[in-house]
Each structure stands twice: as C-alpha cells, then as structure tokens.
Amino acid sequence: MSRFLQAVLALVMVLALTARAGEVVVGTNAEFMPFEFTDDDNNIIGYDIDVVHAVARAGGFEVRLHNQSFDTLIEGLESGKLDAVISGMTITEARKEKVDFSEPYYNAAQVIVVQEKTPGFEKIGDVKGKLVGVQLGTTGAGMAEEVMGENNPDLKQFRKYNEVFSELRIGRIDAVVVDLPVARAYVEKIPGIRISSPPMSVEEYGMAVKKGNSELLNKINAGLKAIRESGEYKEITNKWFQN
Ligand code: ARG
C-alpha cells in the first residue's frame, strides 16, 4: 500500500472514531405510546424521541437510539452499553441509587384501566384478589405488587403494553396499572376500555445516565434548559398532548 493510501486510511479511521465519540447511545423501550413507540414503517417516534433530539441539538451531542425491553435499561447504563436513557422513566429513590437523573421533563401518575363494563377499581387497593396486568420493571408494577404481594401469580408482568392491553380487551385480566398519558392513548385506540381511577401517584420523568457521568448529564440539563427557554419544549408538548 502506498504511503498516500496509508495516510488517507489513517485519516478516515481517526474521523470515524471522532464521529463516534460525539455519539450518545440512548436506550429506550418503544412500547410506551405516546412517549416512544414504532410507526407502521418501524421508525421509533414519540414525545420522548422529539425531546431527546431537541435536547441533543441544543446540548451539542448526537443521538443513536437503542430499543430494548424496559426492565433492562438501568443495567444497560450500569454496564456501559448505554450512555443515556429516555423512556418515560419515573425518577425514584431506588433508581437514583443506581443511575443519575436529569432535571424532570414531564409529570405523570399511575391510573387503573379496566373494561368499560367493569365497575369499581377506583383505588389501588381494589386490585387485590384480581387479575392484573403491568409492564415488567415499571412503577405501575411496583404499585400493584405492594397491594398484591411479590411473586403473586395473579399479577401478570409483560414486556409490552400492547400485550397487556390485548389481554385486558379479551378479558384475560381484570385491570391494568399504567401511566396516565399511556392509559389515555390506549383508551383512544382500543374500544371498550376506560380509566377507572383518579391519578394515584405523583411522578416525574427524567432522562438517566450512568452514575457519575456528570459530563453528559450537564449537557442534557443544559439542553433541556435551552429548549424550555426557546419554546421548542412547549412546541413538542403541544404536538403530542392536546391539553
Ligand atoms: N413511568 C413508569 C416507570 O418509570 C413506566 C415507564 C415505562 N416506559 C416505557 N418506555 N415502557 O416505571
């Protein structure tokens, strides 16, 4: 190989590596409409996706999305496979022991969803003794578990909300515990189901990074601040939530 070619090759490799270095691998679980889900062409879209791209533009980094099951996102950060997570993830004390969270970017709450013909289910205590569906590893799963007990076979834990809600639709479970905006999205999509409880918790979503990665966390928080100030955050919120 000529010296010239060698030099060109070396340059290309350096460029490839630096391009990579600016890229942030962001884990999500695209099963959580309208925050992250897939369209008919299998593109990952949603509120969180718009937020993370806007934050990245403002914070000066590039995003590569990685779609995986919700219950593996935190360990993805811990092992270094992921640099960040955006996934409608509630900031909790337990999670804060394992990862660092950004400033909150969205407020949510758990609610119960049942078939329209099912009476009651107005509070979390009402799920006791019933068949309940949740997504594995979520705060909704935790709430149901607190009432029903750990490893209760009546608490059905799924990896996908699509499965949870199709089980509800055909009556194989009595109730679902899920975040309010997601409950609303499914109630709109699936006929014959309703939200039966008021909001039962106060939760805030945050983006997460590996514990101690303050460099990235600072960029994320700076990006969040910038898009709040520029009005872009508001635009994204209005695009996905009509209220
Ligand atoms: N907010 C809930 C939690 O943090 C549910 C999040 C589920 N997100 C998802 N993309 N599946 O546990």
Side-chain angles (χ1 to χ4, degrees):
M1 206 185 309
S2 78
R3 289 212 162 202
F4 176 70
L5 257 178
Q6 271 177 15
V8 168
L9 214 76
L11 186 68
V12 166
M13 278 165 76
V14 165
L15 284 177
L17 283 176
T18 33
R20 269 248 189 94
E23 203 173 60
V24 170
V25 182
V26 180
T28 193
N29 170 241
E31 306 286 342
F32 200 57
M33 153 178 96
F35 294 95
E36 45 267 331
F37 57 108
T38 46
D39 67 11
D40 294 339
D41 300 321
N42 234 15
N43 299 309
I44 302 175
I45 58 168
Y47 175 80
D48 281 353
I49 307 307
D50 286 355
V51 167
V52 75
H53 279 119
V55 163
R57 268 194 305 276
F61 59 92
E62 256 158 56
V63 169
R64 182 149 53 92
L65 286 175
H66 199 274
N67 190 11
Q68 61 190 70
S69 115
F70 184 76
D71 62 308
T72 65
L73 289 170
I74 297 233
E75 65 198 48
L77 288 175
E78 289 179 312
S79 70
K81 281 192 189 135
L82 300 175
D83 300 310
V85 162
I86 190 159
S87 200
M89 185 178 275
T90 303
I91 302 170
T92 68
E93 289 309 314
R95 287 173 181 159
K96 271 204 238 170
E97 281 170 21
K98 300 179 176 166
V99 297
D100 289 338
F101 281 100
S102 71
E103 294 297 322
Y105 67 88
Y106 196 85
N107 299 327
Q110 299 302 303
V111 293
I112 304 174
V113 182
V114 296
Q115 285 192 355
E116 236 153 38
K117 60 171 197 257
T118 306
F121 287 95
E122 283 152 21
K123 52 187 191 307
I124 190 66
D126 296 349
V127 304
K128 195 160 190 160
K130 305 292 185 194
L131 295 173
V132 180
V134 291
Q135 187 186 41
L136 192 62
T138 57
T139 49
M143 257 188 124
E145 225 164 48
E146 250 174 55
V147 171
M148 302 174 74
E150 243 175 87
N151 302 321
N152 185 333
D154 289 350
L155 181 57
K156 315 283 180 203
Q157 313 215 20
F158 299 87
R159 291 222 147 72
K160 301 182 177 200
Y161 277 110
N162 278 344
E163 286 170 23
V164 181
F165 281 97
S166 61
E167 294 287 292
L168 179 67
R169 175 193 211 153
I170 60 177
R172 271 219 284 243
I173 53 175
D174 302 308
V176 174
V177 182
V178 63
D179 300 52
L180 174 59
V182 179
R184 283 201 183 114
Y186 274 98
V187 165
E188 213 166 279
K189 185 174 143 176
I190 298 179
I193 63 172
R194 69 183 182 96
I195 297 173
S196 59
S197 78
M200 304 183 295
S201 59
V202 177
E203 301 184 24
E204 291 178 323
Y205 295 167
M207 290 181 63
V209 299
K210 187 179 188 152
K211 219 168 199 353
N213 189 353
S214 53
E215 193 190 331
L216 180 55
L217 196 60
N218 289 342
K219 285 185 191 167
I220 290 172
N221 282 331
L224 267 175
K225 188 163 182 269
I227 66 166
R228 277 188 201 276
E229 285 168 4
S230 71
E232 194 175 358
Y233 172 82
K234 192 147 204 204
E235 254 169 54
I236 296 170
T237 306
N238 290 341
K239 170 178 166 195
W240 290 99
F241 302 99
Q242 283 77 39
N243 48 22

